[in-house]
């Protein structure tokens, strides 16, 4: 699933874990995860894949991050996912800074076979 470049940035008081809920129309493998990093979002960043019950299925630390833009990390082994099951892809921002798009997930984002669920 391709994302949309963040339109703004935010600074939290402490480190934060940010994520997106998603589902797949079909069973398959998740090889890695991407996130958009703004200039104030310093690392290192750890990206995780979770079941919604809070069980972490995989994680990887980003290396060789660029100053800004899309960052991608591959898991050491592919993670098998089931169709029509909710998962969470997240990353840990140790400095508390993160990019966002206002109302970016006010409605679902469909990029078959994956789709991001709307946020709250």
């Amino acid at each position: 699933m391709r994302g949309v470049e963040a339109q703004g940035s935010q600074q939290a008081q402490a480190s934060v874990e940010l994520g997106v809920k998603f589902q797949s129309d079909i069973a398959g493998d998740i090889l890695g995860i991407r996130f958009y990093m703004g200039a104030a979002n310093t690392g290192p960043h750890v990206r995780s894949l979770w079941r919604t019950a809070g069980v972490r299925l995989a994680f990887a630390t980003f290396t060789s991050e660029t100053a800004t833009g899309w960052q991608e990390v591959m898991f050491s082994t592919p993670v098998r996912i089931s169709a029509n099951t909710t998962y969470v892809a997240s990353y840990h921002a140790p400095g508390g800074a993160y990019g966002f798009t206002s109302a970016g997930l006010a409605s679902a984002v469909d990029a078959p076979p994956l789709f991001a669920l709307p946020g709250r």
Side-chain angles (χ1 to χ4, degrees), residues 6-18 37-43 45 91-101:
Q7 295 175 347
S9 63
Q10 186 71 22
Q11 181 68 46
Q13 295 287 333
S15 64
V16 292
E17 185 86 16
L18 303 151
M37 186 171 81
N41 191 350
T42 58
H45 296 94
Y91 82 97
H92 183 76
Y98 56 93
F100 74 95
T101 300

Side-chain angles (χ1 to χ4, degrees), residues 6-101:
Q7 295 175 347
S9 63
Q10 186 71 22
Q11 181 68 46
Q13 295 287 333
S15 64
V16 292
E17 185 86 16
L18 303 151
V20 60
K21 290 181 180 179
F22 72 95
Q23 292 184 352
S24 177
D25 295 325
I26 60 172
D29 293 322
I30 301 293
L31 304 177
I33 300 179
R34 298 166 30 119
F35 83 102
Y36 188 84
M37 186 171 81
N41 191 350
T42 58
H45 296 94
V46 176
R47 196 69 159 145
S48 299
L49 182 63
W50 308 80
R51 286 198 177 114
T52 55
V55 176
R56 186 159 67 174
L57 302 172
F59 70 94
T61 301
F62 286 90
T63 57
S64 304
E65 292 179 335
T66 59
T68 62
W70 287 104
Q71 313 298 314
E72 181 174 274
V73 67
M74 304 304 278
F75 295 127
S76 59
T77 58
V79 179
R80 189 77 180 161
I81 62 167
S82 301
N84 305 312
T85 301
T86 301
Y87 296 91
V88 177
S90 72
Y91 82 97
H92 183 76
Y98 56 93
F100 74 95
T101 300

